[in-house]
Amino acid sequence: MRARTFVEAALKQAVHDLGWTWPEKASIEAPKRAEHGDLATNVAMVLPKEAGSTPRARAQALQERLLAVCADNLAAVDVAGPGFLNLTLSPAFWQGTVVRVLQDAQFGASSLGQGKKAQVEYVSANPTGPLHIGHGRGAAVGDALARILRFAGYAVHTEYYLNDAGRQMRLLGLSVWVRYQQLCGRQIPFPEDGYQGDYIGDIAARIRQERGDELLTWSEEDARELCYQEGMNEILAGIRQDLEVFRAEHQVWFSEKSLVDSGVVEATLADLQAKGLAYEKDGALWFASSRFGDDKDRVLRKSDGSLTYFASDIAYHAHKIGRGFDLMIDVWGADHHGYVPRMKAAVAALGRDPECLQVILVQLVNLLRDGQQIAMSTRAGTFETLADVCAEVGVDAARFLFLSRKSDAHLDFDLEVVKRQSMDNPVFYVQYAHARICSLQRKAREMGIALPEVADPALLGLLATAEDMALLKTLDAFGDAVELSARTLSPHHISYYLMDLAGQLHRYYTEHPVLSGEDAGLRNARLLLMEAVRRVLARGLDLLGVDAPLRM
């Protein structure tokens, strides 16, 4: 990251010194071929016409200026083709990366967010059953994204939207109520669309243990209401515990029911009607979402007077906007992709740029055991819970694997493969790199070798091999990975970066035994380099919510 920042600043100064104006279309990027240098730019080719001369002549002028004022940090500046500039940074520049890592506790952090207020709402599963592995993927994505955005300069708030109103919750109450009656000896059928998992029977059994057959004397409405409340509270407590174990933070648990009971939903609908954006038709209330790019208008209140989920969702996002969030990020299951245009339409209708709402879609997880798929169904109760999966493979392995691919790509999660401690297991591969350096440092201490307190430039100058340069350049790129992840709202870029850094570390360790040899200076320089790699690995793992173990 510093390499790109340095080159951009040097180029801008050179352009200014030559009396030209920096072009908006200038690009600075890594060349496709490594022999063309570290970074390449088209700036000479896109300068305004007033710069005069040919692009190649302008490139030559910039070349001379850069070499004159940046000789310490630039090893070469070459003009290529019609006017491209290929820049090669000096070894001293890259060696200085070790100093920056060791001196800056926030190495890799970005100011991209500029303190903007962002909200990440994720998981938000209906409290009708335990969290399953699919919810776990959404939890890993949402929590990692919150961590990354904070590191990139955003003021981040995390939230769980509790769907505690509507048909699914009524069905939960009915399911518990029927199981309770069956335990009391009543021979009644279980509803076809009810929740059949063993946990429903467990909740009913607890209620009966506490209250006996008392509920049989209650009205149907009161009995179902108590079963709903007891069921939701117990399931929600389990969800909270599972997410805490999974290291997923939710600062706010926001109740959908509170929006309805407080009148916020009706007030929002009335506001839309007053603006001419909601209208009555066939006894129902409709939102004119087609005016904002949706393919058709959507129902807000049905003809029977019941509200749709969409009505509550609009009110919820109006509430978010009222809380002053500059960026609202919703993490949804991929099956909700058709819901995105109407939600953006709603945000536009509420008077905000629809781009202030970003929806991250998370694809399903195929849970396997030795290559054989495990059937999952929340309603039928045939699923592996997130808690069970974490107990079997560990939180670290689960989180890292969930974040090892783009969130909208399908993911195969084989329990047996994830448990193996081998280099084919991505989380083991990265964590072992950190543990390997820790082991190296322990061995150094046992040999009476102390890590130098000061990273002297002359000492770091001994890091001159191709493997040294590769590690140093990858360390410098950590900030780029952070910024890319934050800008694209894609935590998997951090996983890719860590696997690359870990791979280079493992190769380096094979090629250059750090503690062997008679050159104490070179040994100390490599120990400093290893400590820099360790710190970046630890920081990167922390952004994913994964531990950096000292031993493995």
Side-chain angles (χ1 to χ4, degrees):
M1 186 175 185
R2 179 176 175 269
R4 193 180 302 271
T5 302
F6 167 77
V7 167
E8 182 177 346
L11 282 168
K12 284 183 175 180
Q13 186 62 52
V15 167
H16 177 270
D17 291 346
L18 291 168
W20 300 332
T21 301
W22 181 259
E24 292 183 4
K25 294 183 179 180
S27 66
I28 302 170
E29 54 191 19
K32 294 180 180 179
R33 298 173 61 178
E35 60 266 29
H36 290 167
D38 298 313
L39 292 167
T41 180
N42 66 344
V43 63
M45 301 177 67
V46 295
L47 280 164
K49 292 182 179 179
E50 60 265 24
S53 67
T54 65
R56 187 171 179 85
R58 295 197 290 266
Q60 290 171 338
L62 286 169
Q63 175 192 42
E64 293 175 6
R65 184 66 187 167
L66 288 168
L67 289 173
V69 299
C70 301
D72 291 342
N73 290 311
L74 287 173
V77 180
D78 300 315
V79 178
F84 287 103
L85 282 172
N86 293 330
L87 298 92
T88 302
L89 292 156
S90 67
F93 177 92
W94 295 117
Q95 290 154 358
T97 304
V98 174
V99 179
R100 291 186 289 277
V101 174
L102 299 184
Q103 291 183 350
D104 183 3
Q106 294 297 305
F107 180 81
S110 168
S111 60
L112 178 71
Q114 298 181 331
K116 292 178 181 176
K117 194 175 178 182
Q119 185 220 43
V120 182
E121 183 235 315
Y122 66 106
V123 183
S124 299
N126 291 342
T128 55
L131 296 179
H132 56 64
I133 192 170
H135 296 133
R137 189 178 190 187
V141 170
D143 183 70
L145 188 55
R147 293 167 183 254
I148 291 165
L149 288 174
R150 286 190 181 114
F151 200 54
Y154 287 87
V156 180
H157 299 252
T158 53
E159 192 152 313
Y160 188 115
Y161 181 51
L162 183 60
N163 298 114
D164 53 356
R167 180 178 180 275
Q168 299 305 320
M169 300 310 298
R170 292 194 297 273
L171 191 57
L172 171 68
L174 175 61
S175 300
V176 175
W177 169 229
V178 170
R179 287 290 186 231
Y180 171 87
Q181 292 177 85
Q182 291 174 342
L183 289 172
C184 293
R186 285 185 175 176
Q187 301 299 314
I188 57 174
F190 195 80
E192 289 185 7
D193 54 354
Y195 292 96
Q196 300 179 35
D198 291 342
Y199 64 94
I200 296 295
D202 294 340
I203 295 170
R206 180 184 58 77
I207 295 173
R208 186 164 187 261
Q209 182 180 18
E210 294 174 357
R211 294 179 176 268
D213 294 349
E214 175 188 347
L215 270 64
L216 299 181
T217 65
W218 293 16
S219 69
E220 177 83 7
E221 181 180 356
D222 288 345
R224 285 178 61 169
E225 175 64 21
L226 181 133
C227 288
Y228 149 70
Q229 290 289 347
E230 292 287 334
M232 183 191 70
N233 291 339
E234 185 166 324
I235 291 169
L236 185 57
I239 288 173
R240 285 177 178 268
Q241 181 177 358
D242 289 349
L243 290 174
E244 182 179 349
V245 170
F246 199 59
R247 307 175 195 145
E249 170 210 70
H250 289 95
Q251 296 166 313
V252 174
W253 293 71
F254 195 98
S255 164
E256 176 191 5
K257 194 170 183 294
S258 72
L259 289 173
V260 178
D261 293 347
S262 64
V264 172
V265 176
E266 289 297 339
T268 303
L269 301 187
D271 181 57
L272 291 175
Q273 284 182 285
K275 293 177 179 178
L277 299 176
Y279 59 91
E280 299 279 353
K281 178 184 174 184
D282 300 329
L285 182 65
W286 296 71
F287 170 50
S289 54
S290 59
R291 297 189 198 177
F292 301 94
D294 196 6
D295 58 349
K296 62 180 180 180
D297 292 350
R298 306 290 175 174
V299 176
L300 299 172
R301 188 190 299 113
K302 301 176 185 178
S303 57
D304 64 3
S306 62
L307 294 170
T308 63
Y309 281 116
F310 188 39
S312 296
D313 285 342
I314 294 176
Y316 178 43
H317 284 79
H319 197 277
K320 291 184 182 186
I321 291 171
R323 283 184 275 162
F325 292 116
D326 301 296
L327 176 63
M328 298 175 291
I329 301 166
D330 292 358
V331 180
W332 295 349
D335 56 331
H336 289 81
H337 66 92
Y339 208 74
V340 177
R342 74 188 74 166
M343 203 63 248
K344 282 185 172 284
V347 170
L350 293 169
R352 290 291 300 274
D353 181 350
E355 291 307 300
C356 76
L357 170 66
Q358 293 294 315
V359 178
I360 309 302
L361 297 176
V362 180
Q363 267 292 357
L364 296 173
V365 178
N366 296 317
L367 187 62
L368 311 171
R369 188 179 294 279
D370 277 333
Q372 299 299 311
Q373 188 157 355
I374 300 173
M376 293 190 290
S377 170
T378 303
R379 186 154 294 166
T382 56
F383 58 87
E384 292 285 337
T385 66
L386 175 62
D388 288 341
V389 170
C390 288
E392 183 166 352
V393 306
V395 172
D396 287 338
R399 286 189 66 122
F400 195 94
L401 192 64
F402 286 144
L403 298 168
S404 64
R405 297 189 66 185
K406 292 178 63 176
S407 64
D408 60 356
H410 284 281
L411 179 68
D412 288 336
F413 191 115
D414 194 310
L415 294 167
E416 297 305 320
V417 172
V418 175
K419 287 190 292 185
R420 292 174 192 154
Q421 291 200 340
S422 72
M423 291 302 207
D424 294 328
N425 182 344
V427 65
F428 178 84
Y429 189 70
V430 175
Q431 287 185 314
Y432 181 57
H434 184 272
R436 198 170 201 175
I437 295 173
C438 293
S439 175
L440 173 72
Q441 293 173 339
R442 286 193 297 273
K443 186 175 181 181
R445 289 192 293 272
E446 291 169 1
M447 296 170 62
I449 301 170
L451 189 71
E453 295 183 5
V454 179
D456 179 54
L459 186 65
L460 297 175
L462 300 173
L463 301 173
T465 68
E467 292 77 20
D468 288 318
M469 288 298 118
L471 268 179
L472 291 165
K473 291 177 182 181
T474 302
L475 288 175
D476 182 76
F478 179 48
D480 292 325
V482 170
E483 199 157 293
L484 178 61
S485 287
R487 191 172 62 252
T488 61
L489 306 180
S490 303
H492 72 276
H493 291 298
I494 300 295
S495 301
Y496 288 1
Y497 171 84
L498 290 173
M499 286 188 277
D500 182 26
L501 180 59
Q504 291 191 35
L505 181 280
H506 293 311
R507 289 191 293 273
Y508 189 95
Y509 198 86
T510 301
E511 293 289 331
H512 303 289
V514 175
L515 298 179
S516 63
E518 298 180 358
D519 189 334
L522 180 58
R523 179 199 64 206
N524 289 343
R526 287 175 173 170
L527 281 171
L528 289 169
L529 175 59
M530 291 297 99
E531 173 60 11
V533 173
R534 187 199 65 77
R535 293 191 188 188
V536 172
L537 284 169
R539 170 62 74 177
L541 286 168
D542 182 66
L543 291 178
L544 300 181
V546 176
D547 284 341
L550 304 181
R551 301 173 184 270
M552 289 185 74

